[in-house]
Amino acid sequence: MTTQEAERLLKVNGPNAVDGDAPYNVFQEGIRKLLNPLNLILLFSTGISALLGQITDFIIIGIILCVSVAIDVIQESSADSAARKLREHVSFKARVFRDGKWNSIPVRNLVVGDLIELRTGDIVPADCDLESGEHIEVSEAALTGESLPIQKTDRLLAGSSVTSGLAKATVKVTGKETQFGKLAKQLTMRRPPTEFEKGTHAFGVLIIRLTMALVLFVFFVNALAHHNILEALLFSLSIAIGMAPELLPVILSITLAKGAARMAKKNVIVKHLPSIELFGSMDVLCTDKTGTLTQDKISLERYEDLSGEESQKVLDLALIHGKLQSSFSNPLELAVLAHDHSGINAKLLAELPFDFERRCSSVVAHVDKKTLLITKGAPESLFAISRLTTIERNKLEKRFNELSEKGFRVLGLATREVDERKTYEKSDEKNLHFVGFLCFLDPPKETVNETLQLLAKQGIKVKILTGDNELVTRKICSDIGMEVDKIQNGTEVETWSDEKLQKEVEKIVVFARLNPEQKERIILALKNNNHVVGFLGDGINDAPSLRTADVGISVNNATDVAKAAADIILLRKSLRVVSEGVSEGRRTYFNISKYILMGTSSNLGNMVSVAGASLFLPFLPMLPTQILLNDLLYDLSELAVPTDNVDVEELAMPRKWDVGFIKRFTLVFGPLSSIFDFVTFGLLFLLHANAPLFQTAWFIESLCSQVCIIFVIRTKRIPFWKSKPSGTLIASSLLVAAIALLLPLTPIGTFFMFHAPKLISYAAIGGIIFLYMLMVETAKYFFFKKVSSRVV
C-alpha cells in the first residue's frame, strides 16, 4: 500500500470509525428540538389564533421559539466540538506498512488492504485476515461477552484486544462495515448512566410532572373563569414551556465541556464527560506504585549470577532475549536494552509471548551454534520450572528477598538447550537452568509524600494495589515517608470471603502481589462500602479494574486496551495531576448544582404563583408571548453559570448527588419566591393597575428577581457578596435585568403588549426585590445551619 493509494481509498470509503464518531448535526438537532410536542401544540394553537386575527402573537411566539432552539443548538454544538478536540489528545494509533516502511498512523486513517502489526495490549482496529503470528491470543469480550482469551489462526475482528503474542494482519473491512460497527447499536457503546445523570434525569421528570399538573389546573381555572378555551390553552402551554427545565441538558453539556477544557489545561483529558462529576465525588483512589509513588524511570542496576556476583553472561542472555522479543515491550525491557547490545549476534527461531498466567516470556534462538530457549520473568515462576534442589531454591529465594528489601524489582533468567524444530510450545518451558537475577531500580518521587497529604486534605484516601512483592513495596513506602502498618498479600486476599474483604479493605492501605482479578475484587468491595472509587492503571491487565471502578483513570502512553477502558486520561502520570483534576471536577459539579438549585426552586415558586393568581385575577397574569420572552431571557442569563467561580471551601471534600437535599432546598426557597410574587400582586392592586400594567410589572419583577437571586443562592457565604462571581455571570445578569427594565419603555415593548410603568412602579418593584433577597439571605442562614453541609 502506498500513501497516495491509501488517501484515495480513505476518501472513497470514509474513515475507519463507527457511528459513535459522527459529528453533531446542527440541522437535525434543531429540527428535533423545534418539533418538541409542547412546541408543536403551541404553534398549532397560535396558528388558529392567527386565523382568528391574532397574527402578531403567532409571529412573536414563532420567533421566540426559533431563537431559543438556536441558542440551545449552538451551545450544544460548541460543547460537542470542544469535547471532540479534547479526545483527539488521546492517541489511538496503528502500526502500518506503507511506502515500503512501517509507520504509526491514527486508527481512523486505516484502509482496506493495509498491512498492520499487532502487539500485546493493542485493540484490533478493523476486521483483518491474519498473515503471520505465533501464539496470538485475543479477547473478544466486547463482541461476545466471553472474557477468556482465545487463540486465533485466521481472522481478527475489530474491537477485540490482543492479550498475548505478535501478529501481522491485512485489513479487510473498516468502520461501520466491520462486525463491531454493525453491532454498535446493540452493543453498550456508552457506559451506564452515573448516579448524577440518573438523578438529574429523575428530577427533571419530577419537575415536568409537577408542571403539567399545575398547567392543567391553570388551564381549567382560566377556561372556566374567562370562557376562552383557546386563550387559556395558549397561556397554559406557554407556562409549560417556560417552567419546564428544558435548559438542564444544555447547561449540563456546556458546564461539563467547559470543565473538561479547564481540566485539559491541567493535563487531564476527559473521554466520558459525565465522569467529571464522579471524579469530583471520588473519595478513594486505587493505584499502582509505578509512576505514581516512583519516578517511572526504571534502570537495570545489577545483573548477577547464582553466587551474587555481577555476570556479563546474565546480561548477554537478557540482551538476546530483549533484542529478539517483539510481542511485549515494557519499561523493564527498555531498561535492559538501554545497555549496549550492538554486539549481540543471535537468530530468532520462535517466540513464546508473555502472559499474566505464566508471568514470563521466552525466545528460542541460535546462539554460538546452539539452539537455546531463554526465559525471563517473575523469579517465583522461574523457580517452579527450573531444575533446582531444595537447598538451591531456598538460597535463591533468600537472595531474591534480600534484593527486594533493598527496593530492587527483580526478574529471573533461565535457559536450556533445545532441539531445532518448526514450532515450540509453552510446555517447552521446563527443566530450565536458572542463571541469575536482573535487578531494576525505580527511584521514588521526591514530592510524592506532599502530594499524598494534598489528596488527604481533599478527602481522598489512596490505596496502593501492586503486583510487586511486599518487600519492594514496603521499601518504596518507607523511602517516601508513607506509614504502613500492614501490607496485605494477594494470596491471602484470595482466601477471603466478600464479606471479610469488605471489612478489611477499610483498614488496609497497601496490597501487594495482586493479580488482575484480586484488584477488581478490592475495587468492588470498596464500592459496596458506598465509596466512590477511582482506579489509576495503564496495563492490559488493568482494563477490568478500569471498567469496574467508578472512575477509570489511565495515561496517554498506556496500552490501547487500558486507554479504551478509561474515562479519564492523564497526559502526565502523577498523583498531583489527579489532585488538580479532582479540584476542577468539583468546580464543574458545583456549577451544575447552582443551576439545578436555582432552576428547581424558581420553577416551583413560579408554578405556585401562577396557580394562585389564576384563582382570583379577572385576566391572565402574563400573556403567553411575555412568558416565553421571560423564559428566553432568563435562559440567556443562566448560560453564564458554567463560567462561575466556586468558593474554595466547597472544593475541600468529595460531594455526592443527593436528591433529598435538592427537594428540601426547593420546598424552602420555592414558596419563598411565591410569597414575594403575591406581595407584588397585592401592591399592584393597591396601585389600581390595569391588565397591561399588571402583566408588565410582574414580567419585570419575575425576571429581575430570578436574575438577582442567583447571586445569593450560588454561595453558602453570608453575606453573599463575600463570594466573588465570575465577570461573565455578572455581565449576563446585568444585561438581562437591563432588558427587563427598559424593554417596556421601547417601541419593541408594544409588540409584547407591555405598558410603560410609572417611576413609582419601578421603585416598588425594586423594593420588593431588595426585600426578597434579604429574606432569601436570612432563610439561607437558617437552612444551612440546620443542614450542616451542602451535599448535592
Side-chain angles (χ1 to χ4, degrees), residues 2-22:
T2 64
T3 299
Q4 186 177 6
E5 175 66 8
E7 289 175 351
R8 186 188 69 80
L9 288 173
L10 193 63
K11 289 179 181 178
V12 172
N13 300 322
N16 179 37
V18 296
D19 285 337
D21 293 326

Side-chain angles (χ1 to χ4, degrees), residues 105-167:
I105 67 168
V107 164
R108 62 184 294 109
N109 292 344
L110 285 176
V111 297
V112 174
D114 269 328
L115 179 66
I116 62 173
E117 185 179 72
L118 296 167
R119 300 184 178 192
T120 302
D122 289 347
I123 293 178
V124 180
D127 288 353
C128 306
D129 283 347
L130 197 60
E131 300 295 342
S132 66
E134 293 183 7
H135 307 286
I136 183 79
E137 292 186 352
V138 302
S139 168
E140 295 183 341
L143 294 162
T144 65
E146 174 57 55
S147 59
L148 294 176
I150 55 176
Q151 190 161 335
K152 302 292 276 189
T153 57
D154 50 2
R155 193 164 179 80
L156 301 174
L157 298 179
S160 56
S161 56
V162 181
T163 58
S164 178
L166 170 73

Side-chain angles (χ1 to χ4, degrees), residues 191 278 284 286 520 523-524 527 532-536 543-553 565 567:
R191 290 172 177 268
L278 287 170
V284 176
C286 298
E520 192 174 10
I523 291 168
L524 282 171
K527 289 177 67 175
V532 178
V533 184
F535 177 76
L536 175 56
S545 296
L546 287 165
R547 281 285 182 188
T548 301
D550 293 298
V551 188
I553 309 166
D567 303 294

Side-chain angles (χ1 to χ4, degrees), residues 571-587:
L571 298 183
R572 183 162 53 88
K573 190 175 182 182
S574 166
L575 289 180
R576 182 169 288 277
V577 173
V578 173
S579 173
E580 292 171 349
V582 164
S583 294
E584 290 298 337
R586 291 178 185 175
R587 182 172 287 108

